[in-house]
Amino acid sequence: MPQEKHILVVDDEPGIQDFVQRNLELRSFKVSLADNGLEALALFEKHNFALVILDIMMPRMDGLEVCRRIRQSSTVPIIILTALGEDADKIAALEQGADDYLTKPFSIGELMARIKAVLRRNHWADHPISVGTRRFGNLEIDFEQRRTWKDSTLVKLSPTEFDLLQELALHPGKIFTHEALLRRVWGAEYRSEAEYLRVYIGRLRRKLETNPSQPAHILTEPGIGYYMVG
């Protein structure tokens, strides 16, 4: 199991490194630093981190590629650091598997709020729902083991992906508004972050639907939200 308080901070700006490291260590986190993507991956292979804070624009390998490579083998929470107003970077980061993003410049209050939120979501897996296994057509969901199969093949889902699927699957046919899903899966502080939901619904459809462009399981109610077919 990862050390609960060991965080990898990846950024090529010394000022950002110092600011984040100093404030995290004041709050009893252990911090490892990397200046570029290749160094980050080398450290990631050596340690069990509880969280990765990852800048996008870096030498040798950018943050999006680092995120993609980490996601090939790990569901560790990842917070991406983006430049002000770069919405395309935010969406690209979420699509590569990031759990959250933070726009530079940011305050320590904003940073700690994001860290607490992603760690909280990651630990929801420690308290599984005791409703056993349910089948939805060619999908089978084991809520206690937090596992999902498509056509009898195990599908790898991140903790947040499973939390979103679970919320929909436990209430088949119920239409959830965007705000309701964001509150229940991400937390009240994310109730207006619609891009999170759009990206994660897209990720679930790509993994679970036979034809993601014509979904049979997770459907959209235009102008309202999403629901799962029972």
Side-chain angles (χ1 to χ4, degrees), residues 12-184:
D12 64 330
E13 296 182 45
I16 295 289
Q17 282 191 350
D18 179 68
F19 172 76
V20 174
Q21 180 180 26
R22 178 164 34 87
N23 280 284
L24 290 182
E25 289 179 346
L26 282 172
R27 291 159 176 80
S28 300
F29 288 96
K30 179 180 178 181
V31 177
S32 291
L33 299 175
D35 296 318
N36 60 71
L38 291 178
E39 184 182 359
L41 290 176
L43 283 171
F44 189 80
E45 292 296 320
K46 293 179 182 178
H47 302 281
N48 291 319
F49 293 103
L51 172 67
V52 178
I53 299 174
L54 182 61
D55 188 30
I56 287 185
M57 299 300 294
M58 292 184 299
R60 304 186 72 186
M61 182 184 293
D62 68 29
L64 294 180
E65 178 62 15
V66 175
C67 183
R68 187 187 70 81
R69 295 195 184 195
I70 288 175
R71 276 291 169 263
Q72 291 177 344
S73 62
S74 174
T75 59
V76 64
I78 298 174
I79 297 175
I80 289 281
L81 303 181
T82 70
L84 182 63
E86 295 295 334
D87 291 338
D89 285 345
K90 298 171 184 177
I91 293 172
L94 292 173
E95 289 179 341
Q96 289 293 347
D99 295 271
D100 209 338
Y101 60 75
L102 193 58
T103 300
K104 295 181 181 180
F106 53 85
S107 69
I108 189 57
E110 291 173 310
L111 175 64
M112 293 311 303
R114 296 298 191 183
I115 289 173
K116 289 176 182 178
V118 297
L119 291 179
R120 179 188 69 225
R121 293 198 300 271
N122 203 52
H123 284 297
W124 286 355
D126 298 336
H127 307 284
I129 302 294
S130 299
V131 295
T133 301
R134 293 183 182 177
R135 180 173 286 279
F136 299 81
N138 65 332
L139 300 182
E140 186 175 350
I141 304 171
D142 185 332
F143 295 96
E144 293 183 19
Q145 297 297 319
R146 292 178 63 86
R147 292 185 175 184
T148 304
W149 292 264
K150 175 187 174 184
D151 296 322
S152 301
T153 299
L154 185 65
V155 179
K156 185 177 180 180
L157 298 179
S158 73
T160 303
E161 288 170 348
F162 189 89
D163 290 336
L164 177 56
L165 176 63
Q166 175 176 271
E167 197 64 42
L168 293 166
L170 286 175
H171 307 89
K174 177 180 178 179
I175 300 172
F176 285 92
T177 65
H178 301 97
E179 181 176 341
L181 275 175
L182 286 163
R183 282 179 175 272
R184 293 171 75 106

Side-chain angles (χ1 to χ4, degrees), residues 205 209-215:
R205 284 173 171 166
E209 300 284 1
T210 301
N211 182 354
S213 64
Q214 295 182 331

